[in-house]
Amino acid sequence: MRRIGFFLLLLLLGALVVGCSASDTDTGTKKEETGGEKPEVVGETEKEAGLSGEITVWAHPFTGDQETEGAMWDEVIASYEEQTGVKVNFEQIPWANRDQKVLTALAANNGPDVFYVIPDQMPQYADAGMLLALDPYLEGFDIDDFVDTALVSTTWKDELYGLPILQEAYTYLYNVDVIKAIGEDPANLPATWEEFEKWAEKAKDKGFYATSFQGGGSMNGTLYPFLWQAGGDVITADNEVLINNEAGVEAFEFINKMYKEGWIPKDSITALEHDALWEGGKMLAVQGSGISVSRMLSQDLFEFVIAPPMKNKEQLTYGTTGMFVAPINTDNPAAAAEFIKVVTNSDNQKKFNTVTQYIPTRESAKDIFGEQKYLAQLADYTQFALPGVIHPEGRTIMPLIQAELQTMMEGKKTPKEAADAAAKAIEGKIGK
Amino acid sequence: MKREWNRNAIVYIFLIPVLVHFLIFQIYPFVLSFYLTFMDWKVIGDPEFVGLKHWKYFLTDRLAWKAIWNTVKFSAYYIVPTMGLGLILALIINSGVKTAGLFKGIFFLPVVTSFVIIAGIWGWLFRGTEAGMINYLLSFIGIEPQLFLSNSSQALAVLAGLSIFKVAGSTMIYYFAGLQSIDRQLYEAARIDGASSFKIFWTITFPLLRPIHFFVAITTTIGSFQIFDSAYLLTGGGPNYATTTIVYYLYEQGFTSLNLSYAAVLSYVLFFIILVISLIQRKYLGQESNNY
């Protein structure tokens, strides 16, 4: 009996520790206990002069050169601290499992005051009430300097939840040796699907793949650009599913044709990259962005040229937008909002994007690539770059579409059947 | 009783940190996640009670059942080959060959190597183009390139092969320990009676390894039902959900779709599946496990 009593005592002790730990979190971090409720919007005076305390900022490693990147952050943070008097606790979070880290920290009311997200995450988090709307903190702020396509991904239901710091534009990089091998002119690259098809056929005849297709990766790099170029889309903000309309089916058909004709490798159904084929000179073109250009330049494998985003009915492509946001339960919303404004101002965008080799989202910061012809070219193409499907279910529906696309490529469904099945799956998901 | 308490007091005191840790990091989340299955929770804010909504949805969720079926198929590809290969490797290093130590190190190497690195190598080996090593080798004997990870009927088996390669080394160690504990006199007696090597293995070694079989069967079964990394790294659950396992689906629901409550339901389904299988294995494999 005493033994049982002893173990009960231990259990009680454990329960107390559990209870105390929760209590400590509540009081120790001074987070808002109501969590989901919006913090009071601060007055103009406080916004201008009353900033104090400290904030925690989470960002990810954007380059392999941590020394240079660290020095850049030190400089950016110093400018903010000097301007506001608010202390910044900067923490670099690995990319892997970042969703879990952010979500568990926010759920525990112990998360950062500012963190980095990509377009897929923003509407999902905003729609769930997890993000602080920044509009009340932006009076007099020069928002017009931002590239329009960059702000698309920071806005959900007419409210601005983040400010963008980087942008990308994916377009085709062509191997000049292969262009010459198929008897074409590197100065006259394909601009439309029709022109691309002719080049692809020639490449196939000469034993090259026309391009890469990473069917196991994000739809942002596979189906969506073709969908937008065909004049279609996946879903509207009002939940109207468009993926199986005429334009949608045309995009499915184009991909199916590329696969069946052997213009893309056979493993494109689930491939995550085709670096070996591209770098081995066996591929005419790949979709790439600034990172791809930097990699090509550092490896110096062969001469390449960059084409503008292709056009069928529209000239569009994909390009991610990286932004900083604040969680709704930050205990220092004004300081968090101010940090987001400072880190994305023109000077800091120049510093950040010079180091990371991404494209600034402010027109006034785009001159950093003046002497780098490839990056300057990509910077010009961000005007055509859509940031993905801006919808709370944007990430959720992607695997559903991917599965149907894979089924089509395996030959188990026609493009029309696959597009219809994708539409049905999306409707099922948003109707749940 | 008091004397017993005094004698064991130090043991109880040393147990306290472990128990506290167990309560906080095992029992508390376990109970909390069960509570979460009856709630709708958007991470920030208070959970809302929704009763059995998520459990009912599970019963009609085609993808969840497909994920379970994929996991069962994965287990079928994985458990017996892992045990068999582990046993064969253990027999090799237990055979007394001079290079046994070297073999042990080589066979154990995949266990201590990062899964990401091994998955990267595996992905290269089984790439579904002529750039893949296996397809390159197949081309010498006139076999067309296989799609492997891009083929819905091959992908799961390729992932199982990766897991077998990664885990067989640790299974080998368990079997090696079991082999070392078998009384040598039994072998000597059998040889005097003229038993062949196969007869000795089949009638002495294999039955006397029963406790090891039981332990390895339990751990590999649990491991097979928790498979996640390989699908995450190599196929993203595709093609067409062919490699979406229950844990992969759970992860996608919890951290991509933010359906944390439904992910909690899936985790409990997984828990009950593993519990039932472990009890069945215990009933049939665990019998007489202490009889030698």
Side-chain angles (χ1 to χ4, degrees):
Chain A
M1 197 62 196
R2 281 187 183 183
R3 191 176 292 178
I4 293 169
F6 175 73
F7 278 107
L8 284 174
L9 184 68
L10 283 181
L11 281 171
L12 184 64
L13 183 66
L16 281 172
V17 171
V18 171
C20 288
S21 64
S23 171
D24 288 348
T25 307
D26 291 344
T27 54
T29 61
K30 299 178 186 172
K31 295 281 178 183
E32 301 202 2
E33 290 183 6
T34 49
E37 291 174 18
K38 292 188 178 187
E40 282 181 27
V41 175
V42 291
E44 189 68 20
T45 313
E46 189 180 350
K47 270 193 286 177
E48 294 296 328
L51 299 175
S52 62
E54 57 186 72
I55 58 169
T56 299
V57 175
W58 281 10
H60 307 289
F62 292 91
T63 68
D65 182 357
Q66 287 305 292
E67 199 177 331
T68 308
E69 193 177 326
M72 178 272 295
W73 279 117
D74 288 345
E75 207 177 328
V76 170
I77 287 165
S79 74
Y80 170 79
E81 288 182 337
E82 194 179 333
Q83 187 178 322
T84 61
V86 176
K87 183 181 179 325
V88 176
N89 300 307
F90 181 81
E91 293 175 25
Q92 196 179 65
I93 307 297
W95 288 101
N97 302 323
R98 64 188 190 282
D99 274 325
Q100 292 102 304
K101 289 179 183 112
V102 168
L103 293 175
T104 47
L106 295 183
N109 245 357
N110 196 23
D113 298 286
V114 173
F115 62 104
Y116 178 88
V117 297
I118 56 173
D120 286 352
Q121 294 168 300
M122 190 285 296
Q124 190 180 29
Y125 289 4
D127 201 60
M130 291 167 57
L131 299 184
L132 179 76
L134 297 179
D135 303 79
Y137 303 93
L138 298 177
E139 280 178 41
F141 182 70
D142 179 18
I143 199 90
D144 295 336
D145 189 33
F146 285 95
V147 178
D148 289 344
T149 51
L151 289 178
V152 168
S153 61
T154 63
T155 310
W156 176 243
K157 291 188 175 170
D158 297 329
E159 286 201 272
L160 196 80
Y161 287 97
L163 288 176
I165 189 163
L166 69 87
Q167 204 176 2
E168 282 185 309
Y170 274 76
T171 190
Y172 279 108
L173 279 56
Y174 283 82
N175 182 329
V176 172
D177 296 336
V178 179
I179 294 175
K180 288 175 181 168
I182 64 170
E184 289 291 349
D185 178 9
N188 190 20
L189 299 171
T192 64
W193 285 14
E194 200 180 349
E195 290 169 9
F196 181 79
E197 284 185 24
K198 285 177 188 162
W199 281 46
E201 198 54 52
K202 285 183 182 177
K204 176 75 191 338
D205 290 344
K206 294 281 184 184
F208 299 104
Y209 289 111
T211 187
S212 164
F213 189 88
Q214 290 140 37
S218 166
M219 293 286 97
N220 287 325
T222 55
L223 173 69
Y224 292 173
F226 294 114
L227 198 58
W228 297 323
Q229 287 162 12
D233 207 339
V234 178
I235 186 172
T236 67
D238 300 326
N239 287 341
E240 188 187 353
V241 179
L242 304 174
I243 197 167
N244 61 336
N245 64 16
E246 195 181 332
V249 174
E250 194 179 359
F252 273 76
E253 281 170 346
F254 188 69
I255 291 167
N256 200 44
K257 186 174 184 181
M258 288 203 297
Y259 190 65
K260 299 299 175 210
E261 295 288 339
W263 298 346
I264 53 178
K266 280 290 171 199
D267 71 340
S268 297
I269 299 175
T270 56
L272 295 169
E273 45 83 18
H274 285 126
D275 293 346
L277 291 170
W278 165 247
E279 289 167 4
K282 293 179 178 172
M283 204 166 251
L284 170 65
V286 289
Q287 278 202 90
S289 62
I291 293 173
S292 324
V293 168
S294 301
R295 185 180 160 104
M296 288 298 297
L297 291 173
S298 68
Q299 290 183 323
D300 195 23
L301 296 170
F302 47 78
E303 192 186 348
F304 66 98
V305 283
I306 302 177
M310 274 206 296
K311 181 179 181 179
N312 187 25
K313 292 187 179 65
E314 306 282 345
Q315 186 178 19
L316 290 168
T317 188
Y318 166 71
T320 194
T321 304
M323 72 197 87
F324 283 100
V325 297
I328 192 77
N329 62 350
T330 169
D331 56 354
N332 203 343
E338 190 61 27
F339 181 84
I340 294 170
K341 286 156 67 178
V342 170
V343 78
T344 57
N345 69 26
S346 193
D347 284 347
N348 284 330
Q349 283 217 20
K350 284 182 182 180
K351 288 173 193 159
F352 177 89
N353 289 295
T354 300
V355 169
T356 61
Q357 295 286 283
Y358 286 103
I359 299 165
T361 57
R362 282 180 176 274
E363 295 290 358
S364 60
K366 280 191 172 178
D367 57 2
I368 57 171
F369 299 129
E371 291 171 12
Q372 300 177 56
K373 65 170 183 176
Y374 295 117
L375 290 173
Q377 201 177 347
L378 287 177
D380 190 38
Y381 296 154
T382 56
Q383 60 181 309
F384 305 114
L386 295 181
V389 176
I390 303 302
H391 189 280
E393 298 289 350
R395 305 174 80 195
T396 315
I397 61 179
M398 201 181 276
L400 306 175
I401 302 166
Q402 186 176 44
E404 297 304 333
L405 199 67
Q406 290 172 335
T407 312
M408 176 193 76
M409 292 168 78
E410 277 198 294
K412 293 176 179 171
K413 280 181 184 167
T414 65
K416 175 83 171 91
E417 287 169 346
D420 285 343
K424 194 176 172 189
I426 295 168
E427 282 161 358
K429 193 73 190 173
I430 58 179
K432 183 196 157 191
Chain B
M1 206 66 178
K2 190 176 179 183
R3 192 177 298 168
E4 191 188 351
W5 160 253
N6 288 336
R7 197 171 60 234
N8 294 332
I10 191 73
V11 176
Y12 295 140
I13 289 168
F14 279 119
L15 274 175
I16 287 174
V18 179
L19 278 171
V20 168
H21 183 276
F22 184 69
L23 282 165
I24 295 172
F25 294 106
Q26 303 286 331
I27 299 299
Y28 179 62
F30 184 77
V31 174
L32 190 69
S33 56
F34 188 66
Y35 164 78
L36 202 59
T37 64
F38 304 106
M39 300 287 166
D40 256 347
W41 186 42
K42 291 181 174 177
V43 182
I44 290 182
D46 296 327
E48 179 193 344
F49 182 75
V50 292
L52 294 172
K53 175 185 157 188
H54 298 299
W55 288 96
K56 285 178 183 168
Y57 180 72
F58 164 71
L59 295 175
T60 59
D61 183 4
R62 186 179 59 86
L63 285 181
W65 289 101
K66 185 170 176 66
I68 291 172
W69 176 237
N70 284 342
T71 312
V72 170
K73 280 204 293 187
F74 179 87
S75 301
Y77 293 143
Y78 169 76
I79 296 170
V80 173
T82 303
M83 294 176 70
L85 185 60
L87 179 55
I88 290 167
L89 298 179
L91 288 169
I92 291 171
I93 60 172
N94 193 51
S95 64
V97 292
K98 282 184 180 176
T99 49
L102 178 67
F103 281 141
K104 203 190 295 183
I106 292 170
F107 297 154
F108 199 69
L109 197 59
V111 179
V112 292
T113 307
S114 159
F115 194 90
V116 177
I117 292 169
I118 291 184
I121 295 168
W122 207 256
W124 171 68
L125 286 174
F126 287 94
R127 178 156 291 184
T129 66
E130 64 275 18
M133 176 58 86
I134 304 293
N135 272 331
Y136 178 71
L137 295 175
L138 288 177
S139 69
F140 287 111
I141 50 173
I143 296 177
E144 286 286 301
Q146 300 295 301
L147 288 176
F148 294 125
L149 295 166
S150 295
N151 183 316
S152 50
S153 38
Q154 294 175 346
L156 202 60
V158 174
L159 295 189
L162 166 61
S163 294
I164 293 165
F165 177 70
K166 171 80 175 134
V167 172
S170 58
T171 311
M172 169 194 75
I173 295 296
Y174 299 132
Y175 274 119
F176 180 64
L179 290 169
Q180 294 277 298
S181 67
I182 296 174
D183 190 344
R184 300 283 130 187
Q185 289 182 10
L186 294 170
Y187 292 128
E188 287 163 17
R191 289 195 196 287
I192 290 168
D193 289 343
S196 66
S197 295
F198 178 77
K199 187 88 174 168
I200 290 171
F201 170 76
W202 193 244
T203 55
I204 298 175
T205 308
F206 194 77
L208 290 182
L209 286 173
R210 189 175 186 127
I212 309 296
H213 296 322
F214 173 62
F215 175 75
V216 172
I218 289 281
T219 52
T220 51
T221 303
I222 291 172
S224 71
F225 273 83
Q226 293 177 337
I227 190 70
F228 167 76
D229 321 44
S230 50
Y232 181 74
L233 291 168
L234 291 177
T235 61
N240 190 21
Y241 300 111
T243 56
T244 298
T245 59
I246 185 74
V247 177
Y248 184 86
Y249 188 56
L250 185 161
Y251 170 84
E252 204 176 82
Q253 287 295 318
F255 294 107
T256 305
S257 303
L258 295 187
N259 291 330
L260 291 173
S261 299
Y262 187 55
V265 169
L266 294 170
S267 70
Y268 265 88
V269 169
L270 178 64
F271 167 72
F272 286 123
I273 290 172
I274 291 175
L275 181 69
V276 169
I277 291 175
S278 300
L279 289 174
I280 292 170
Q281 284 178 325
R282 185 182 168 81
K283 181 172 172 59
Y284 291 102
L285 271 177
Q287 286 173 343
E288 305 168 21
S289 61
N290 298 319
N291 284 2
Y292 87 101

